[in-house]
DNA sequence: TTTTTAGTTCATTTTATTTTGAACTTTATG
DNA sequence: CATAAAGTTCAAAATAAAATGAACTAAAAA
């Protein structure tokens, strides 16, 4: 196995970056996007330059260029420019976490729509029709519920995070 | 564009089947799986035989064989066998719709885990670390919330579906 | 038992996706 | 203005994923 990350980075972080690549691939994004995101996460610097990313991940400029666009477009990464410096720097964006989920839930809208259209196309109404109606309604409904929950998160997150932190510590102590 | 479905099926349904294929592809499954599922949905028969599916979708036996395994494995399709008939028939399974969502939410667990591990790997605690903790907690929390919501759906779905049905009719009347 | 039908397996081919690399654009700097 | 650095673009190469088709297995029927 060729290790594609190096330049004085700890083995653990190199492994992490590759795992992030594989996860992104599983989520339908590209492996390189996952590597870049992983690198930006575990890098100790506040931001990394295009060329730094390219060198660490040992990829071509073209590949990094396309990947940065993907990540910017998905809102996962932010570009930073500095006066007196023509380079572009990148850092993980502090995107509202609920927005990632909302974005992903759009997939369910599509799924709901295809189920509902399928039901309309059937001339015979049977128990599959029933199921189709039920399933597409479910996705409409769950979308609304999720919006409410995400609002709840935004307003109560400090408290919730604190609760989770305590739970975690309790487990370690016992 | 080669139309890969035919055999006396309405154009609308053929289009539907192809769109279902494209959607499944977008969801990370295969196009063929989407076609088969779409076909089973809009077919007027209760179930379709292996060979019927193969003929309608004009695909090879190997392709259908692999695809049926995928769909069975994902729980989207059920196999039916009949006494005195050596064929296998397939129909869309009346899978609990919440289960599809729960299955998909596993992706978020993975995402939460990678964010949390990234945070642990950083020696410097900065605002990215803060964000990582927040984001991974969010996914833990949302998983629990969603389980509750899905339970609520299961117990109240008849009522909810009725409400949505009325809303839909009102819109048509006005 | 032999034949036939139904489906599986898997090496090969086809198709789609990702990466590279070189030429090009843009913008800062001497 | 000329030069250089930083990125972008895109055709071609590399890689990965999916479909085919032919040989194979299992199980019912003759």
């Amino acid at each position: 196995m060729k290790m594609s990350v190096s330049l004085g980075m700890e083995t653990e972080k190199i492994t992490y970056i590759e795992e992030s690549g594989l996860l992104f691939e599983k989520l339908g994004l590209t492996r390189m996007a996952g590597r870049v995101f992983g690198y930006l996460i575990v890098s100790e610097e506040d931001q990394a330059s295009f060329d730094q990313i390219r060198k660490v991940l040992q990829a071509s400029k073209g590949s990094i260029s396309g990947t940065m666009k993907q990540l910017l477009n998905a809102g996962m990464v932010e570009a930073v420019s500095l006066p007196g410096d023509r380079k572009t720097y990148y850092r993980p964006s502090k995107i509202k976490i609920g927005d990632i989920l909302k974005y992903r839930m759009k997939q369910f809208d599509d799924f709901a729509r295809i189920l509902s259209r399928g039901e309309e196309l059937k001339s015979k109404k049977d128990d599959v029709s029933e199921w189709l109606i039920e399933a597409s309604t479910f996705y409409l409904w769950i979308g609304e519920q999720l919006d409410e929950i995400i609002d709840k998160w935004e307003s109560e997150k400090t408290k919730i995070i604190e609760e989770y932190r305590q739970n975690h510590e309790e487990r370690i102590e016992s």
Side-chain angles (χ1 to χ4, degrees), chain A:
Chain A
M1 180 176 47
K2 187 193 160 203
M3 264 296 152
S4 45
V5 188
S6 56
L7 290 137
M9 184 161 275
E10 301 92 311
T11 324
E12 272 190 316
K13 290 193 176 176
I14 294 169
T15 307
Y16 179 80
I17 288 167
E18 290 304 317
E19 285 177 11
S20 177
L22 293 174
L23 175 63
F24 270 54
E25 208 166 38
K26 222 172 69 176
L27 300 177
L29 303 164
T30 64
R31 189 179 294 192
M32 192 61 81
R35 288 201 188 106
V36 171
F37 190 72
Y39 169 58
L40 292 178
I41 294 273
V42 295
S43 159
E44 302 297 333
E45 326 256 344
D46 288 343
Q47 69 276 306
S49 72
F50 184 99
D51 205 53
Q52 195 177 344
I53 296 169
R54 191 187 64 68
K55 279 189 182 138
V56 172
L57 303 183
Q58 296 185 136
S60 66
K61 288 203 286 179
S63 178
I64 297 299
S65 177
T67 300
M68 295 326 294
K69 269 193 194 149
Q70 279 184 69
L71 288 171
L72 288 169
N73 194 46
M76 309 199 68
V77 152
E78 287 172 354
V80 186
S81 57
L82 301 169
D85 187 341
R86 78 182 82 170
K87 292 200 195 93
T88 309
Y89 296 85
Y90 299 93
R91 63 180 178 211
S93 90
K94 275 138 230 146
I95 186 174
K96 269 202 225 153
I97 194 67
D99 288 349
I100 298 179
L101 184 57
K102 278 187 189 168
Y103 179 78
R104 285 259 146 190
M105 285 302 292
K106 276 194 219 147
Q107 293 187 338
F108 294 119
D109 284 358
D110 294 341
F111 194 58
R113 204 166 298 122
I114 209 132
L115 295 174
S116 165
R117 279 191 42 224
E119 196 275 330
E120 286 161 17
L121 282 176
K122 285 175 75 89
S123 50
K124 200 175 109 198
K125 302 305 170 190
D126 54 17
D127 51 357
V128 170
S129 318
E130 276 310 301
W131 184 85
L132 290 167
I133 290 169
E134 178 181 322
S136 62
T137 308
F138 173 77
Y139 284 116
L140 290 177
W141 179 80
I142 203 87
E144 290 172 11
Q145 302 296 306
L146 218 42
D147 284 346
E148 281 176 27
I149 294 188
I150 291 169
D151 288 348
K152 187 176 168 192
W153 167 261
E154 285 304 326
S155 60
E156 296 176 27
K157 67 179 173 191
T158 314
K159 203 183 87 197
I160 299 168
I161 292 167
E162 188 50 34
E163 279 167 20
Y164 269 81
R165 205 193 305 270
Q166 284 176 358
N167 263 306
H168 183 62
E169 276 163 14
E170 268 166 37
R171 265 180 231 139
I172 286 170
E173 278 161 22
S174 66

